[in-house]
Each structure stands twice: as C-alpha cells, then as structure tokens.
Amino acid sequence: MPELPEVETVRRGLVALCPLPLRDAQLTLWRRDLRFPVPASLPDRLAGATLTAIERRAKFLLWHFGDQVLISHLGMTGSWRRGADGPRRRHDHLALRFADGPELIYHDPRRFGYLDLVAREAVARHPWLQPLGPEPWDQAFDARYLQARLRGSRAPIKNRLMDARVVVGVGNIYAAESLFRAGISPLAPAGRIGRQRLARLVHAIRTVLDAAIAAGGSTISDFRQAGGSSGYFQHDFRVYGRAGRPCQQCHGTLRHATLSGRATVWCPRCQRT
DNA sequence: AAATGAACCTGTTTGC
DNA sequence: TGCAAACAGGTTCATT
C-alpha cells in the first residue's frame, strides 16, 4: 500500500487525530506473527508511557514515548485507524489506547508490516534504519551523490532507485512516475546516466513526492488516510497502471515490462536510456 | 560482489 | 458463472 507520500499522509492524519501529548498508553497485542515477530514484552514496556510525537523516517513511523520509540512499518497493506467504531475486525492485530484520547487500531491483512520498541538513542542504529540512505529532500541527496553511488552499476536505474540504501521512500509507483518526469527510461543502466540527467531525476523525485503528499497520497484499492478519506494523487499518474494507453506527452503507446518482479511502465519515446 | 528471483501472506482482479 | 491463476503499494534472503 504505502510509499513515502502515503506514510507521510498517515503520519499527518494520526497527528491530527491525536491531541499530543497522550498519557497512559496501553497496548493490546492480538497477533505477534507479522513480517517479523512482535516482541512479546512490548505491551509491558509501553504501559503507562506518554506519546509525545509521531515522526517519519523513510517509510517508518516513529512514535515517541518519552525515552522509548515505537518503530512501525506498514508493509504493503498496513493501516492505522481510529477504533471505538465497532468490534475488532478480521486482520486487526493490535490496539493502542490512552487515558483520554482516541483508540488506534493497527490493521494489516497480508501481515508484511512490522514493529519494534527501542530506546530513543538506539533508533538510528536499529538494524531496520541503520542501512537507510538519505531522505529525498536531504541536502546530501543530489546529482553528485547519485553519480558516485551508482558508479559502475549496470542495473536498471529503476531498481537502484527503489533500493532504500540509495534513497528512501521511492517505491514502485513513484519510481515510475519520477523517471517519466525526468525523461529517463527505467531500463537505463544506472551507472551510465550523466550528471545533468541525474539532477533532473533528483528534481523529479522531489516534485512528484511533494505533489503526492499535497494530494494526500495515492488511493489504490485499499489505502486510506488515517481519517478514512482517500488520497487523490492516483489521478495524476502519467505512466503507472497505464500500459498500452497513449502517452500524455507524445501520444505514443506506453510500454510494459517486468523488472525484478515489479510491473514497470514507461514511454519509449519520451524516456531515453 | 552485484543483481535477480523467491519468499513472506491475504485479498482482489483477470482470464479462460 | 466459476474457478484458478496472476497480481498487488515493501523488504529480506538465498542463489546465481
């Protein structure tokens, strides 16, 4: 479900839903077998804590509880919703309650999501976060960095872009959309792309992600904002999900291929290797 | 060493 | 219509 704009949309929705700080947390764990086993000690360690902030790093939500941080990833189908709107549903895996505030429910049919609770100073070197590259808006993320990082790589640029060690937050949809806007073929060997074109790519990634966040993310099948409303960036897709249809720029036919098992769409005329 | 493909799961869509 | 296969926004692991 979520790439960076969707996670950021969820974060903003949660912050709007939660008048921080929220005191006296109580976590109920219904299922521990998510993508990775949820630590059984989690409810005990969190009991009574105060939620002071909800941040995002890459596609992770970082829930700050004093000197502890709950790290949560939504996987493909994870979502948070306000509880107290009926009984527990199929695929609800945990609930977060506070003394006076909303009850939050984590729901995840495919169970690709995962959670952990760590000391604040250990967050950055947590095995999930430690290998991550820069955020797309980091100063460190520029054409020079990309060129150095991709030097010698003959892998398709789309694959390298979706590698979180290179840059975080760019998944299958936004990789395709960014490459279209930068005029670069997803098949282009990563190490052969010149500085100028990489600069265009950096700009395109930021522009697309900014626009998607502003639109409240993309709603495909089941993604919803924390408040339950839909994002609408899906109406701005230029290539994703449009294989066989005409390119909006040149009216040629958009092509489809599978790259590392992921559906890939691009315009052979507008996007060059 | 880098890069591809399978695996983790379930629900929904597509195609015969 | 019915059923099975294919496919889905993410990430990790094993195998070339």
Side-chain angles (χ1 to χ4, degrees), chain A residues 12 19 76 99 106 111 117 135 148 154 171 185 189 191 199 206 215 218-219 224 231 237 239 245 248 254 259-260:
Chain A
R12 292 179 185 188
M76 291 270 263
Y106 181 68
R111 285 184 281 122
L117 183 67
E135 293 281 323
R154 283 148 43 90
S185 166
R206 289 177 175 154
S218 303
T219 297
R224 290 293 179 280
F237 291 165
V239 288
R245 299 175 60 190
Q248 295 172 345
L254 296 179
L259 252 56
S260 293

Side-chain angles (χ1 to χ4, degrees), chain A residues 13 56 95 105 124 126 138 159 184:
Chain A
R56 179 192 58 74
I105 309 267
H126 190 287
D138 254 3
N159 292 352
I184 299 171

Side-chain angles (χ1 to χ4, degrees), chain A residues 27 48 110 116 158 179 183 188 205 215 229 247 254 262:
Chain A
L27 189 144
R110 286 174 79 176
D116 199 6
K158 176 167 176 268
L179 287 165
I205 290 169
S229 51
C247 170
L254 296 179
R262 310 305 234 102

Side-chain angles (χ1 to χ4, degrees), chain A residues 56-162:
Chain A
R56 179 192 58 74
R57 166 72 173 122
K59 298 171 188 169
F60 292 92
L61 291 170
L62 305 179
W63 307 66
H64 286 257
F65 289 89
D67 56 356
Q68 302 187 99
V69 177
L70 179 68
I71 305 174
S72 89
H73 195 292
L74 301 170
M76 291 270 263
T77 54
S79 65
W80 287 93
R81 71 166 196 277
R82 185 177 198 137
D85 57 347
R88 192 186 145 197
R89 300 178 199 166
R90 185 169 160 78
H91 306 308
D92 286 350
H93 305 314
L94 66 90
L96 199 48
R97 301 189 184 80
F98 299 91
D100 41 34
E103 174 191 37
L104 302 173
I105 309 267
Y106 181 68
H107 181 267
D108 187 356
R110 286 174 79 176
R111 285 184 281 122
F112 284 180
Y114 41 104
L115 305 155
D116 199 6
L117 183 67
V118 300
R120 192 214 307 260
E121 58 272 18
V123 172
R125 46 192 154 82
H126 190 287
W128 296 339
L129 304 194
Q130 197 277 328
L132 295 178
E135 293 281 323
W137 298 275
D138 254 3
Q139 279 209 328
F141 181 64
D142 60 11
R144 222 169 76 95
Y145 162 82
L146 265 188
Q147 193 163 48
R149 198 69 177 70
L150 302 176
R151 182 169 298 135
S153 171
R154 283 148 43 90
I157 181 63
K158 176 167 176 268
N159 292 352
R160 303 304 299 122
L161 223 45
M162 290 175 64

